[in-house]
Structure formats: structure tokens, C-alpha cells
Amino acid sequence: MVHANGSLIKGRAHWAQEKPVSEPAWPAPPVGDRTLPNALDMEVAILGAGIHGAALARELKLRGVACALVDKGEVGGGTSQWSSQLLHGGIRYMLTGDLRQMREGLLERATWARIAPRRCRWEAFWMPHRFWAEGLAHRFGIGLYDHWGAERPGWPDSLVLGHVPSEAFQADPRSPGSPFRGATAYADLMTWDRELTKDLAASAEAVLLDFHEPEGFEDAGGALKALRLRDRRDGTLRRLSARQWVFALGPWTDGALTHWFGETRQRLRLSSGIHLWFDAVPGCERPWAIRRPKGRILFVIPRDGLLQVGTTEREVEDGWVPIVSTEREELFEALEHHLPAVPWRRMPIRSEELGVRPLVTSSGATAHLSREAVLERHERFANLTLVLGGKLTTARALMDQLATDLTGQTTPASKTEPLRLWDGHSAQIR
Ligand SMILES: Cc1cc2nc3c(=O)[nH]c(=O)nc-3n(C[C@H](O)[C@H](O)[C@H](O)COP(=O)(O)OP(=O)(O)OC[C@H]3O[C@@H](n4cnc5c(N)ncnc54)[C@H](O)[C@@H]3O)c2cc1C
């Protein structure tokens, strides 16, 4: 299945964390004038090429600072390809009362729509209500959400917000037999997370060391000096030295710090979430966001000729865990309870994916952009910053802040410079 942006439909990336035995051989390393040197010296080295690492590399490029972007897999091959793919203010924060985080997300949403129009699509999400008073509360909350999120570059006039006419609601195949009596539509921005991450990397023009496994660090008097790396594609050993280091390893941060430096402090709490992808159901045209207990939302989103459904929350121990049957079952039960007219269990699952949210548990942060995103200066290595937690939505803003801290330079271009589309390479050898 090929989606609107011309790349393959979501599913696990081939080269994510550990190459499954059944996978074909590694991709070829770069050749010709893209061949990587065996020794590199950079101002900044970034480990982890998810949305945070890639966004930071772009910020450094905008400030004229040379950096290397290292990943043991492919760019965007971790959590940043398993999200719900929304650049959002977070309508759930309206329910949990975290309005500051919501407004921050709404501002960032507009920035993404400006700098990445090819990877963004505005949508009118329907939030269904069970009874009249709930509908009134939704209309009030959603009215505020859309008022604070009124900056919507590229918003198509064809999308209508607010009260959903009852004929339109009744005509949707999800309505019959459901506990819902009507719906209110709010605006949010859909994206293609892996492609967005790759575009950020392409816009960075960093030296890209993807498929490189870190093998050992050299430190010098309380600072990191160099990293020895092995190219997983052909076994070549490389040495990367840098003045500043940033680890943006998503849910693998704690595990890596234990493995590399013997640290035992737990900075993250990991929570997995799954999505199931079904064939499109004719007549399901708008995405639905259904309120569930504890401020959670069940999304049912038509996209790319399929129907994406998610998500769940389960505490896990590692960034790489399989889907368990209870998780899948929980989603089916929620779907059958809320939308009984759709024969969910008889519809083949075209694809399923699990992502692990890195949630912050640490204190002692040096910067705090939002409840879920923290920049922490490492206590042992003065030139190492850890990126903890966060979301796709706030990644650009957080990395703008980090790049300013690292270089002492600000740049307005971060919010306006359009992203370059990924061309499959991005490595610029200096
Ligand atoms: C189910 C789910 C739904 C979500 N929905 C949304 C949403 O709708 N909107 C939103 O804004 N956010 C959402 N999020 C949050 C968002 O997806 C993540 O916070 C974000 O993608 C994390 O990006 P990252 O760059 O920090 O980590 P990652 O994308 O995981 O990147 C870390 C990188 O580090 C690499 N790595 C790991 N170990 C090593 C090592 N030893 N050496 C070298 N490289 C290594 C990995 O290969 C990976 O590429 C969701 C998350 C989940 C799980």
C-alpha cells in the first residue's frame, strides 16, 4: 500500500532496532562522494535520529554549526514512526486541565503547518457525545480549543467545525447502535511521522551515521571526548569526536546509559500504545476522537485508504516489546462498546504497530518546556545533554531551545524555513 506521500504504508521499519532474522540484507553503505570517512570531528554529536535528534540537527544547520547524527537503525525508525501521527494541541488536555501544554501544542501545530505543508493535513475531528449536556460541554471546550488554535495556515474551507448536523452524524456507519447522539467537530493536524522525521534530517544536512552501533566512549576529565562506532552494514569502524554531545534516544535512554556507563538511575517511565490498521470502511470520512475514562481518547481515523484505530496504555520495561493479546483485546472491546455497528473482529487487520512513550520521571532538569519534555544536563559529563520524554508536536520548539543553549545563537528561521523533502540520502560529507 502506497500512501499519499508516495512512501510505503506504515508498519515496522525494516531496519529499526534489531534486524529480524527474516529481513533481507542490510542496505548498502553510501559510496562515491558520499563515502563516510573513518574519523570525524564535529562541533556537536547527536545520538538518536528520531524526531528530536533530527529536529536538533536542523536547528544546528540553521545556526551554521556542523553536527553528526548517529543512529543504530534508520532515521525515524524508532518511536517516531509509531505515534498517532497528530500534531496537536491535545484535546485531552481540555479534559485534564493542562491548558498551558495545550496552548503550547496549538502554537507549534501552526508552525508545523507552515514549515512542513507537504507532510501535514488539516482535519475536522468529530468528538461524539452521549447526551445533551455532554454535547454542550464539548461545544464549549472545543470552541475554546479552536479559538486558541485559530492560527491554521492552509486550512481548507471545505472543513466545517462546531456542531455536526444530525443527518451527517446519522449517515456515518459508526453511528448506528452506538451510545452517541451527536458530535462536535474540532480542528487538528495530521502528519506522517516517519516522513516528517526524515524531512527534518534531510533539512539538516548533517553527517548521517545511520546503521551505526556505538561500541565505546572515550572520556576526558568529566567530559565526553569521542565515540567508537561500527557500521552495521559492512563492519567498518569509525571514530567520532565532538565538543558537545546530545543523547535523544527516546525510550532506549535508560537502557543505553546503563549499558554504556553503568548508570542505574531511572529517568523514564515507559508506556506502550498500539494502533491497528483496517481496510477503509465506506462512509467513514471524518476521524473520530472518542473520550474514554482517565482522559484517554480512542481515535478512529480514515487515512491513506485505511482506517487507523488506537491507542492503548500499558507500562513496559523496554523500548522494544511485542504487542500482547490483552492489548489488542482491549482495543477491540473499546471499539465494540463504542461503535458496535462496525464488524471489527471480522475485518482483517492490515497492519498493527506498537510504540513506546518515554514519560519523564526525573527531577533536576535544566530546562522544562512542558510536563512531558525535559532537557537534562548529565551529572558526570558536563558536555552531554539528555533529551527526555516529549512529543512530535513540541519537538521542534524543544530542539530550538536546546540549539540556542548549545550555540548561544537564536534563529527566527526555525519557525519559517520550509523543510526539504527526504531524498533517501541526506548525508553531507564535509
Ligand atoms: C502510541 C504512541 C502515540 C503517540 N502519538 C503522538 C501524537 O499523536 N502526537 C505527538 O506529538 N506525539 C505522539 N507520541 C509521542 C512521540 O511519538 C514520541 O514522543 C517521539 O516520537 C519520541 O521521539 P524521540 O526522537 O525522542 O525518540 P525515537 O523516535 O524513539 O528516537 C530514538 C532513536 O534512538 C535510536 N537509538 C536507540 N538506541 C540507540 C543506541 N544504542 N545507539 C544509537 N541509536 C539508538 C533509535 O533507533 C531511534 O531512532 C506518541 C507516542 C506513542 C508511543
Side-chain angles (χ1 to χ4, degrees), residues 16-17 48-53 70-74 76-80 82-86 88 212 214 248-252 256 260 271 273-275 311 355-358 389-393:
Q17 296 307 304
I51 190 109
H52 285 111
V70 180
D71 201 291
K72 67 190 276 188
E74 71 172 325
T79 319
S80 300
W82 298 312
S83 77
S84 299
Q85 311 196 87
L86 303 173
H88 57 164
H212 276 68
L249 299 168
W252 294 278
W260 292 332
S271 161
I274 68 166
H275 293 102
T311 175
V356 176
R357 299 179 188 88
K391 300 182 282 201
L392 301 173
T393 311

mmCIF file of all heavy atoms in Angstrom, residues 16-17 48-53 70-74 76-80 82-86 88 212 214 248-252 256 260 271 273-275 311 355-358 389-393, ligand 1:
data_model
loop_
_atom_site.group_PDB
_atom_site.id
_atom_site.type_symbol
_atom_site.label_atom_id
_atom_site.label_comp_id
_atom_site.label_asym_id
_atom_site.label_seq_id
_atom_site.Cartn_x
_atom_site.Cartn_y
_atom_site.Cartn_z
ATOM 1 N N ALA A 16 14.843 -1.172 12.062
ATOM 2 C CA ALA A 16 14.630 -0.446 13.313
ATOM 3 C C ALA A 16 15.716 -0.758 14.343
ATOM 4 O O ALA A 16 16.810 -0.247 14.241
ATOM 5 C CB ALA A 16 13.258 -0.749 13.851
ATOM 6 N N GLN A 17 15.452 -1.568 15.305
ATOM 7 C CA GLN A 17 16.407 -1.767 16.388
ATOM 8 C C GLN A 17 17.282 -2.988 16.175
ATOM 9 O O GLN A 17 18.476 -2.907 16.069
ATOM 10 C CB GLN A 17 15.654 -1.884 17.713
ATOM 11 C CG GLN A 17 14.932 -0.619 18.051
ATOM 12 C CD GLN A 17 15.884 0.543 18.013
ATOM 13 O OE1 GLN A 17 16.898 0.534 18.698
ATOM 14 N NE2 GLN A 17 15.604 1.533 17.205
ATOM 15 N N GLY A 48 20.773 9.280 18.218
ATOM 16 C CA GLY A 48 19.329 9.065 18.141
ATOM 17 C C GLY A 48 18.753 9.947 17.050
ATOM 18 O O GLY A 48 18.758 11.171 17.162
ATOM 19 N N ALA A 49 18.296 9.306 15.952
ATOM 20 C CA ALA A 49 17.742 10.070 14.830
ATOM 21 C C ALA A 49 16.234 9.886 14.757
ATOM 22 O O ALA A 49 15.679 9.538 13.722
ATOM 23 C CB ALA A 49 18.415 9.658 13.525
ATOM 24 N N GLY A 50 15.569 10.104 15.891
ATOM 25 C CA GLY A 50 14.115 10.219 15.900
ATOM 26 C C GLY A 50 13.765 11.677 15.665
ATOM 27 O O GLY A 50 14.599 12.475 15.214
ATOM 28 N N ILE A 51 12.524 12.053 15.991
ATOM 29 C CA ILE A 51 12.093 13.428 15.693
ATOM 30 C C ILE A 51 12.952 14.445 16.448
ATOM 31 O O ILE A 51 13.286 15.504 15.905
ATOM 32 C CB ILE A 51 10.592 13.636 15.998
ATOM 33 C CG1 ILE A 51 10.088 14.974 15.460
ATOM 34 C CG2 ILE A 51 10.288 13.554 17.503
ATOM 35 C CD1 ILE A 51 9.191 14.900 14.303
ATOM 36 N N HIS A 52 13.380 14.098 17.693
ATOM 37 C CA HIS A 52 14.177 15.067 18.455
ATOM 38 C C HIS A 52 15.571 15.229 17.863
ATOM 39 O O HIS A 52 16.033 16.352 17.636
ATOM 40 C CB HIS A 52 14.248 14.654 19.928
ATOM 41 C CG HIS A 52 12.974 14.920 20.670
ATOM 42 N ND1 HIS A 52 12.164 13.915 21.130
ATOM 43 C CD2 HIS A 52 12.354 16.072 20.992
ATOM 44 C CE1 HIS A 52 11.095 14.445 21.721
ATOM 45 N NE2 HIS A 52 11.186 15.750 21.654
ATOM 46 N N GLY A 53 16.248 14.106 17.610
ATOM 47 C CA GLY A 53 17.598 14.186 17.055
ATOM 48 C C GLY A 53 17.595 14.890 15.704
ATOM 49 O O GLY A 53 18.438 15.764 15.434
ATOM 50 N N VAL A 70 23.718 10.280 14.633
ATOM 51 C CA VAL A 70 24.037 8.844 14.719
ATOM 52 C C VAL A 70 22.795 8.051 15.099
ATOM 53 O O VAL A 70 22.048 8.463 15.993
ATOM 54 C CB VAL A 70 25.116 8.610 15.820
ATOM 55 C CG1 VAL A 70 25.472 7.135 15.929
ATOM 56 C CG2 VAL A 70 26.345 9.464 15.577
ATOM 57 N N ASP A 71 22.575 6.929 14.460
ATOM 58 C CA ASP A 71 21.507 6.030 14.899
ATOM 59 C C ASP A 71 21.914 4.594 14.606
ATOM 60 O O ASP A 71 22.528 4.317 13.579
ATOM 61 C CB ASP A 71 20.184 6.347 14.189
ATOM 62 C CG ASP A 71 18.977 5.821 14.961
ATOM 63 O OD1 ASP A 71 18.797 4.575 15.043
ATOM 64 O OD2 ASP A 71 18.218 6.654 15.500
ATOM 65 N N LYS A 72 21.518 3.696 15.500
ATOM 66 C CA LYS A 72 21.859 2.292 15.242
ATOM 67 C C LYS A 72 20.954 1.694 14.168
ATOM 68 O O LYS A 72 21.246 0.635 13.623
ATOM 69 C CB LYS A 72 21.811 1.475 16.529
ATOM 70 C CG LYS A 72 20.452 1.320 17.132
ATOM 71 C CD LYS A 72 20.515 0.711 18.521
ATOM 72 C CE LYS A 72 20.582 -0.797 18.452
ATOM 73 N NZ LYS A 72 20.451 -1.406 19.788
ATOM 74 N N GLY A 73 19.843 2.361 13.871
ATOM 75 C CA GLY A 73 18.948 1.918 12.805
ATOM 76 C C GLY A 73 18.799 3.000 11.762
ATOM 77 O O GLY A 73 19.728 3.771 11.511
ATOM 78 N N GLU A 74 17.601 3.088 11.184
ATOM 79 C CA GLU A 74 17.394 4.117 10.161
ATOM 80 C C GLU A 74 16.789 5.372 10.780
ATOM 81 O O GLU A 74 16.233 5.330 11.887
ATOM 82 C CB GLU A 74 16.488 3.596 9.042
ATOM 83 C CG GLU A 74 15.047 3.426 9.445
ATOM 84 C CD GLU A 74 14.149 3.099 8.260
ATOM 85 O OE1 GLU A 74 14.397 3.603 7.157
ATOM 86 O OE2 GLU A 74 13.196 2.340 8.456
ATOM 87 N N GLY A 76 14.258 7.926 11.852
ATOM 88 C CA GLY A 76 12.809 7.790 12.092
ATOM 89 C C GLY A 76 12.377 6.350 12.263
ATOM 90 O O GLY A 76 11.207 6.034 12.086
ATOM 91 N N GLY A 77 13.302 5.470 12.644
ATOM 92 C CA GLY A 77 12.960 4.049 12.753
ATOM 93 C C GLY A 77 12.550 3.622 14.155
ATOM 94 O O GLY A 77 12.341 2.440 14.401
ATOM 95 N N GLY A 78 12.428 4.573 15.102
ATOM 96 C CA GLY A 78 12.031 4.236 16.475
ATOM 97 C C GLY A 78 10.611 4.690 16.757
ATOM 98 O O GLY A 78 9.726 4.574 15.897
ATOM 99 N N THR A 79 10.396 5.244 17.939
ATOM 100 C CA THR A 79 9.051 5.681 18.345
ATOM 101 C C THR A 79 8.454 6.657 17.346
ATOM 102 O O THR A 79 7.231 6.717 17.202
ATOM 103 C CB THR A 79 9.128 6.400 19.712
ATOM 104 O OG1 THR A 79 10.022 5.677 20.545
ATOM 105 C CG2 THR A 79 7.773 6.475 20.371
ATOM 106 N N SER A 80 9.290 7.415 16.687
ATOM 107 C CA SER A 80 8.798 8.449 15.783
ATOM 108 C C SER A 80 8.156 7.890 14.517
ATOM 109 O O SER A 80 7.805 8.652 13.619
ATOM 110 C CB SER A 80 9.928 9.427 15.429
ATOM 111 O OG SER A 80 10.413 10.025 16.603
ATOM 112 N N TRP A 82 5.782 5.330 15.179
ATOM 113 C CA TRP A 82 4.679 4.538 15.738
ATOM 114 C C TRP A 82 3.721 5.401 16.551
ATOM 115 O O TRP A 82 3.060 4.933 17.474
ATOM 116 C CB TRP A 82 5.231 3.415 16.633
ATOM 117 C CG TRP A 82 6.077 2.444 15.885
ATOM 118 C CD1 TRP A 82 5.772 1.843 14.708
ATOM 119 C CD2 TRP A 82 7.373 1.955 16.259
ATOM 120 N NE1 TRP A 82 6.793 1.007 14.328
ATOM 121 C CE2 TRP A 82 7.786 1.049 15.255
ATOM 122 C CE3 TRP A 82 8.219 2.186 17.344
ATOM 123 C CZ2 TRP A 82 9.003 0.383 15.298
ATOM 124 C CZ3 TRP A 82 9.429 1.514 17.393
ATOM 125 C CH2 TRP A 82 9.816 0.629 16.379
ATOM 126 N N SER A 83 3.667 6.688 16.238
ATOM 127 C CA SER A 83 2.796 7.575 17.011
ATOM 128 C C SER A 83 1.396 7.577 16.406
ATOM 129 O O SER A 83 1.149 6.938 15.393
ATOM 130 C CB SER A 83 3.365 8.992 17.001
ATOM 131 O OG SER A 83 3.095 9.601 15.751
ATOM 132 N N SER A 84 0.503 8.344 17.007
ATOM 133 C CA SER A 84 -0.832 8.512 16.414
ATOM 134 C C SER A 84 -0.784 9.505 15.254
ATOM 135 O O SER A 84 -1.803 9.763 14.612
ATOM 136 C CB SER A 84 -1.838 8.987 17.465
ATOM 137 O OG SER A 84 -1.934 8.030 18.486
ATOM 138 N N GLN A 85 0.371 10.117 15.031
ATOM 139 C CA GLN A 85 0.620 10.995 13.874
ATOM 140 C C GLN A 85 -0.211 12.268 13.902
ATOM 141 O O GLN A 85 -0.707 12.699 12.861
ATOM 142 C CB GLN A 85 0.400 10.248 12.564
ATOM 143 C CG GLN A 85 1.105 8.902 12.511
ATOM 144 C CD GLN A 85 1.215 8.358 11.112
ATOM 145 O OE1 GLN A 85 2.154 8.663 10.376
ATOM 146 N NE2 GLN A 85 0.251 7.576 10.723
ATOM 147 N N LEU A 86 -0.366 12.829 15.094
ATOM 148 C CA LEU A 86 -1.111 14.080 15.216
ATOM 149 C C LEU A 86 -0.183 15.167 15.737
ATOM 150 O O LEU A 86 0.551 14.957 16.711
ATOM 151 C CB LEU A 86 -2.285 13.911 16.186
ATOM 152 C CG LEU A 86 -3.272 12.806 15.814
ATOM 153 C CD1 LEU A 86 -4.303 12.604 16.907
ATOM 154 C CD2 LEU A 86 -3.955 13.143 14.490
ATOM 155 N N HIS A 88 -0.729 18.264 17.500
ATOM 156 C CA HIS A 88 -1.984 18.689 18.113
ATOM 157 C C HIS A 88 -1.786 19.522 19.372
ATOM 158 O O HIS A 88 -0.729 19.504 19.988
ATOM 159 C CB HIS A 88 -2.846 17.466 18.445
ATOM 160 C CG HIS A 88 -2.163 16.465 19.343
ATOM 161 N ND1 HIS A 88 -2.836 15.480 20.004
ATOM 162 C CD2 HIS A 88 -0.868 16.315 19.701
ATOM 163 C CE1 HIS A 88 -1.993 14.762 20.713
ATOM 164 N NE2 HIS A 88 -0.799 15.240 20.544
ATOM 165 N N HIS A 212 24.702 2.733 12.551
ATOM 166 C CA HIS A 212 25.973 2.689 13.271
ATOM 167 C C HIS A 212 25.735 2.344 14.745
ATOM 168 O O HIS A 212 24.970 3.025 15.426
ATOM 169 C CB HIS A 212 26.709 4.036 13.176
ATOM 170 C CG HIS A 212 27.517 4.181 11.919
ATOM 171 N ND1 HIS A 212 26.943 4.288 10.676
ATOM 172 C CD2 HIS A 212 28.874 4.217 11.717
ATOM 173 C CE1 HIS A 212 27.888 4.396 9.763
ATOM 174 N NE2 HIS A 212 29.070 4.355 10.366
ATOM 175 N N PRO A 214 27.020 2.228 18.471
ATOM 176 C CA PRO A 214 28.057 2.745 19.368
ATOM 177 C C PRO A 214 28.740 1.589 20.105
ATOM 178 O O PRO A 214 28.068 0.722 20.646
ATOM 179 C CB PRO A 214 27.270 3.619 20.355
ATOM 180 C CG PRO A 214 25.982 3.928 19.659
ATOM 181 C CD PRO A 214 25.690 2.735 18.805
ATOM 182 N N ALA A 248 19.433 11.642 22.245
ATOM 183 C CA ALA A 248 17.978 11.732 22.032
ATOM 184 C C ALA A 248 17.503 10.330 21.669
ATOM 185 O O ALA A 248 17.128 10.063 20.537
ATOM 186 C CB ALA A 248 17.669 12.740 20.931
ATOM 187 N N LEU A 249 17.581 9.444 22.652
ATOM 188 C CA LEU A 249 17.405 8.009 22.407
ATOM 189 C C LEU A 249 16.004 7.514 22.734
ATOM 190 O O LEU A 249 15.770 6.299 22.798
ATOM 191 C CB LEU A 249 18.443 7.223 23.220
ATOM 192 C CG LEU A 249 19.906 7.550 22.861
ATOM 193 C CD1 LEU A 249 20.860 6.970 23.897
ATOM 194 C CD2 LEU A 249 20.258 7.041 21.470
ATOM 195 N N GLY A 250 15.075 8.448 22.938
ATOM 196 C CA GLY A 250 13.689 8.061 23.193
ATOM 197 C C GLY A 250 13.594 7.067 24.334
ATOM 198 O O GLY A 250 14.272 7.214 25.363
ATOM 199 N N PRO A 251 12.784 6.004 24.173
ATOM 200 C CA PRO A 251 12.590 5.059 25.278
ATOM 201 C C PRO A 251 13.809 4.197 25.581
ATOM 202 O O PRO A 251 13.813 3.456 26.558
ATOM 203 C CB PRO A 251 11.417 4.186 24.792
ATOM 204 C CG PRO A 251 11.393 4.338 23.316
ATOM 205 C CD PRO A 251 11.926 5.705 23.010
ATOM 206 N N TRP A 252 14.853 4.293 24.752
ATOM 207 C CA TRP A 252 16.047 3.470 24.975
ATOM 208 C C TRP A 252 17.100 4.208 25.817
ATOM 209 O O TRP A 252 18.197 3.705 26.030
ATOM 210 C CB TRP A 252 16.646 3.044 23.627
ATOM 211 C CG TRP A 252 15.725 2.142 22.888
ATOM 212 C CD1 TRP A 252 15.591 0.788 23.079
ATOM 213 C CD2 TRP A 252 14.782 2.501 21.871
ATOM 214 N NE1 TRP A 252 14.613 0.307 22.241
ATOM 215 C CE2 TRP A 252 14.101 1.318 21.488
ATOM 216 C CE3 TRP A 252 14.430 3.700 21.256
ATOM 217 C CZ2 TRP A 252 13.102 1.309 20.517
ATOM 218 C CZ3 TRP A 252 13.433 3.687 20.290
ATOM 219 C CH2 TRP A 252 12.774 2.494 19.936
ATOM 220 N N ALA A 256 20.481 2.513 27.487
ATOM 221 C CA ALA A 256 21.779 2.851 26.907
ATOM 222 C C ALA A 256 22.731 3.390 27.980
ATOM 223 O O ALA A 256 23.915 3.041 28.014
ATOM 224 C CB ALA A 256 21.590 3.887 25.801
ATOM 225 N N TRP A 260 26.219 1.722 28.675
ATOM 226 C CA TRP A 260 27.470 2.432 28.365
ATOM 227 C C TRP A 260 28.233 2.882 29.619
ATOM 228 O O TRP A 260 29.449 2.855 29.648
ATOM 229 C CB TRP A 260 27.165 3.672 27.490
ATOM 230 C CG TRP A 260 26.685 3.330 26.123
ATOM 231 C CD1 TRP A 260 26.975 2.201 25.406
ATOM 232 C CD2 TRP A 260 25.805 4.107 25.299
ATOM 233 N NE1 TRP A 260 26.338 2.229 24.187
ATOM 234 C CE2 TRP A 260 25.612 3.385 24.081
ATOM 235 C CE3 TRP A 260 25.157 5.328 25.435
ATOM 236 C CZ2 TRP A 260 24.809 3.848 23.036
ATOM 237 C CZ3 TRP A 260 24.356 5.791 24.395
ATOM 238 C CH2 TRP A 260 24.183 5.058 23.212
ATOM 239 N N SER A 271 5.587 3.570 28.482
ATOM 240 C CA SER A 271 4.192 3.155 28.322
ATOM 241 C C SER A 271 3.942 2.846 26.849
ATOM 242 O O SER A 271 4.154 3.698 25.986
ATOM 243 C CB SER A 271 3.290 4.300 28.792
ATOM 244 O OG SER A 271 1.997 4.145 28.284
ATOM 245 N N GLY A 273 1.761 1.851 23.439
ATOM 246 C CA GLY A 273 0.453 2.122 22.839
ATOM 247 C C GLY A 273 0.393 1.436 21.494
ATOM 248 O O GLY A 273 1.403 1.377 20.780
ATOM 249 N N ILE A 274 -0.767 0.864 21.173
ATOM 250 C CA ILE A 274 -0.839 0.197 19.873
ATOM 251 C C ILE A 274 -1.852 0.873 18.955
ATOM 252 O O ILE A 274 -2.788 1.540 19.401
ATOM 253 C CB ILE A 274 -1.173 -1.315 19.986
ATOM 254 C CG1 ILE A 274 -2.611 -1.555 20.479
ATOM 255 C CG2 ILE A 274 -0.183 -2.033 20.851
ATOM 256 C CD1 ILE A 274 -3.074 -2.996 20.279
ATOM 257 N N HIS A 275 -1.628 0.669 17.671
ATOM 258 C CA HIS A 275 -2.582 1.052 16.627
ATOM 259 C C HIS A 275 -2.864 -0.168 15.779
ATOM 260 O O HIS A 275 -1.956 -0.959 15.509
ATOM 261 C CB HIS A 275 -2.004 2.139 15.720
ATOM 262 C CG HIS A 275 -1.794 3.443 16.403
ATOM 263 N ND1 HIS A 275 -0.563 3.862 16.810
ATOM 264 C CD2 HIS A 275 -2.663 4.404 16.760
ATOM 265 C CE1 HIS A 275 -0.685 5.050 17.398
ATOM 266 N NE2 HIS A 275 -1.955 5.407 17.383
ATOM 267 N N THR A 311 -5.596 4.397 20.742
ATOM 268 C CA THR A 311 -4.428 3.659 21.168
ATOM 269 C C THR A 311 -4.635 3.191 22.605
ATOM 270 O O THR A 311 -5.627 3.559 23.228
ATOM 271 C CB THR A 311 -3.155 4.518 21.046
ATOM 272 O OG1 THR A 311 -2.017 3.837 21.564
ATOM 273 C CG2 THR A 311 -3.288 5.816 21.758
ATOM 274 N N GLY A 355 4.142 1.390 19.761
ATOM 275 C CA GLY A 355 5.170 2.375 20.069
ATOM 276 C C GLY A 355 5.281 2.500 21.579
ATOM 277 O O GLY A 355 4.332 2.202 22.302
ATOM 278 N N VAL A 356 6.456 2.918 22.044
ATOM 279 C CA VAL A 356 6.660 3.069 23.488
ATOM 280 C C VAL A 356 6.891 4.541 23.806
ATOM 281 O O VAL A 356 7.837 5.153 23.297
ATOM 282 C CB VAL A 356 7.835 2.196 23.966
ATOM 283 C CG1 VAL A 356 8.102 2.437 25.445
ATOM 284 C CG2 VAL A 356 7.526 0.724 23.721
ATOM 285 N N ARG A 357 5.997 5.091 24.625
ATOM 286 C CA ARG A 357 6.124 6.500 25.009
ATOM 287 C C ARG A 357 7.166 6.632 26.109
ATOM 288 O O ARG A 357 7.065 5.957 27.129
ATOM 289 C CB ARG A 357 4.796 7.033 25.576
ATOM 290 C CG ARG A 357 3.636 6.996 24.629
ATOM 291 C CD ARG A 357 2.381 7.526 25.327
ATOM 292 N NE ARG A 357 1.224 7.327 24.481
ATOM 293 C CZ ARG A 357 0.481 6.220 24.477
ATOM 294 N NH1 ARG A 357 0.788 5.232 25.286
ATOM 295 N NH2 ARG A 357 -0.560 6.114 23.678
ATOM 296 N N PRO A 358 8.139 7.516 25.920
ATOM 297 C CA PRO A 358 9.064 7.786 27.016
ATOM 298 C C PRO A 358 8.474 8.884 27.901
ATOM 299 O O PRO A 358 8.336 10.016 27.475
ATOM 300 C CB PRO A 358 10.331 8.270 26.293
ATOM 301 C CG PRO A 358 9.883 8.719 24.930
ATOM 302 C CD PRO A 358 8.468 8.275 24.701
ATOM 303 N N GLY A 389 11.640 12.282 27.213
ATOM 304 C CA GLY A 389 10.198 12.434 27.019
ATOM 305 C C GLY A 389 9.886 13.205 25.750
ATOM 306 O O GLY A 389 10.609 13.148 24.764
ATOM 307 N N GLY A 390 8.781 13.943 25.790
ATOM 308 C CA GLY A 390 8.424 14.811 24.665
ATOM 309 C C GLY A 390 7.424 14.190 23.710
ATOM 310 O O GLY A 390 6.968 13.065 23.881
ATOM 311 N N LYS A 391 7.103 14.986 22.695
ATOM 312 C CA LYS A 391 6.104 14.600 21.694
ATOM 313 C C LYS A 391 6.604 15.052 20.336
ATOM 314 O O LYS A 391 7.450 15.933 20.236
ATOM 315 C CB LYS A 391 4.780 15.352 21.950
ATOM 316 C CG LYS A 391 4.158 15.098 23.275
ATOM 317 C CD LYS A 391 2.855 15.850 23.397
ATOM 318 C CE LYS A 391 3.096 17.314 23.684
ATOM 319 N NZ LYS A 391 1.961 18.002 24.282
ATOM 320 N N LEU A 392 6.003 14.517 19.300
ATOM 321 C CA LEU A 392 6.292 15.030 17.966
ATOM 322 C C LEU A 392 6.011 16.522 17.942
ATOM 323 O O LEU A 392 6.786 17.333 17.441
ATOM 324 C CB LEU A 392 5.377 14.396 16.909
ATOM 325 C CG LEU A 392 5.354 12.893 16.684
ATOM 326 C CD1 LEU A 392 4.230 12.560 15.716
ATOM 327 C CD2 LEU A 392 6.680 12.421 16.138
ATOM 328 N N THR A 393 4.845 16.872 18.467
ATOM 329 C CA THR A 393 4.325 18.233 18.339
ATOM 330 C C THR A 393 5.295 19.283 18.869
ATOM 331 O O THR A 393 5.474 20.331 18.252
ATOM 332 C CB THR A 393 2.982 18.349 19.097
ATOM 333 O OG1 THR A 393 2.156 17.253 18.716
ATOM 334 C CG2 THR A 393 2.288 19.661 18.805
HETATM 335 C C1 LIG B 1 1.419 5.104 20.694
HETATM 336 C C2 LIG B 1 2.006 6.478 20.657
HETATM 337 C C3 LIG B 1 1.273 7.513 20.118
HETATM 338 C C4 LIG B 1 1.806 8.798 20.076
HETATM 339 N N1 LIG B 1 1.092 9.798 19.470
HETATM 340 C C5 LIG B 1 1.607 11.037 19.374
HETATM 341 C C6 LIG B 1 0.921 12.042 18.656
HETATM 342 O O1 LIG B 1 -0.135 11.811 18.066
HETATM 343 N N2 LIG B 1 1.471 13.283 18.627
HETATM 344 C C7 LIG B 1 2.655 13.568 19.241
HETATM 345 O O2 LIG B 1 3.055 14.722 19.195
HETATM 346 N N3 LIG B 1 3.369 12.619 19.887
HETATM 347 C C8 LIG B 1 2.877 11.357 19.951
HETATM 348 N N4 LIG B 1 3.587 10.363 20.578
HETATM 349 C C9 LIG B 1 4.889 10.683 21.182
HETATM 350 C C10 LIG B 1 6.002 10.681 20.138
HETATM 351 O O3 LIG B 1 5.806 9.673 19.168
HETATM 352 C C11 LIG B 1 7.348 10.443 20.819
HETATM 353 O O4 LIG B 1 7.459 11.209 21.971
HETATM 354 C C12 LIG B 1 8.508 10.816 19.882
HETATM 355 O O5 LIG B 1 8.367 10.148 18.649
HETATM 356 C C13 LIG B 1 9.824 10.468 20.540
HETATM 357 O O6 LIG B 1 10.836 10.829 19.636
HETATM 358 P P1 LIG B 1 12.352 10.670 20.034
HETATM 359 O O7 LIG B 1 13.157 11.277 18.965
HETATM 360 O O8 LIG B 1 12.563 11.178 21.413
HETATM 361 O O9 LIG B 1 12.552 9.091 20.142
HETATM 362 P P2 LIG B 1 12.639 7.988 18.983
HETATM 363 O O10 LIG B 1 11.825 8.315 17.807
HETATM 364 O O11 LIG B 1 12.380 6.669 19.635
HETATM 365 O O12 LIG B 1 14.165 8.061 18.537
HETATM 366 C C14 LIG B 1 15.205 7.477 19.272
HETATM 367 C C15 LIG B 1 16.217 6.932 18.281
HETATM 368 O O13 LIG B 1 17.335 6.447 19.026
HETATM 369 C C16 LIG B 1 17.841 5.310 18.364
HETATM 370 N N5 LIG B 1 18.611 4.508 19.305
HETATM 371 C C17 LIG B 1 18.146 3.797 20.347
HETATM 372 N N6 LIG B 1 19.154 3.211 20.985
HETATM 373 C C18 LIG B 1 20.291 3.568 20.339
HETATM 374 C C19 LIG B 1 21.677 3.275 20.530
HETATM 375 N N7 LIG B 1 22.113 2.493 21.499
HETATM 376 N N8 LIG B 1 22.553 3.822 19.669
HETATM 377 C C20 LIG B 1 22.147 4.612 18.648
HETATM 378 N N9 LIG B 1 20.869 4.908 18.415
HETATM 379 C C21 LIG B 1 19.952 4.394 19.264
HETATM 380 C C22 LIG B 1 16.599 4.595 17.853
HETATM 381 O O14 LIG B 1 16.903 3.745 16.765
HETATM 382 C C23 LIG B 1 15.684 5.746 17.481
HETATM 383 O O15 LIG B 1 15.748 6.054 16.097
HETATM 384 C C24 LIG B 1 3.084 9.056 20.611
HETATM 385 C C25 LIG B 1 3.842 8.008 21.145
HETATM 386 C C26 LIG B 1 3.320 6.730 21.149
HETATM 387 C C27 LIG B 1 4.137 5.607 21.657
#
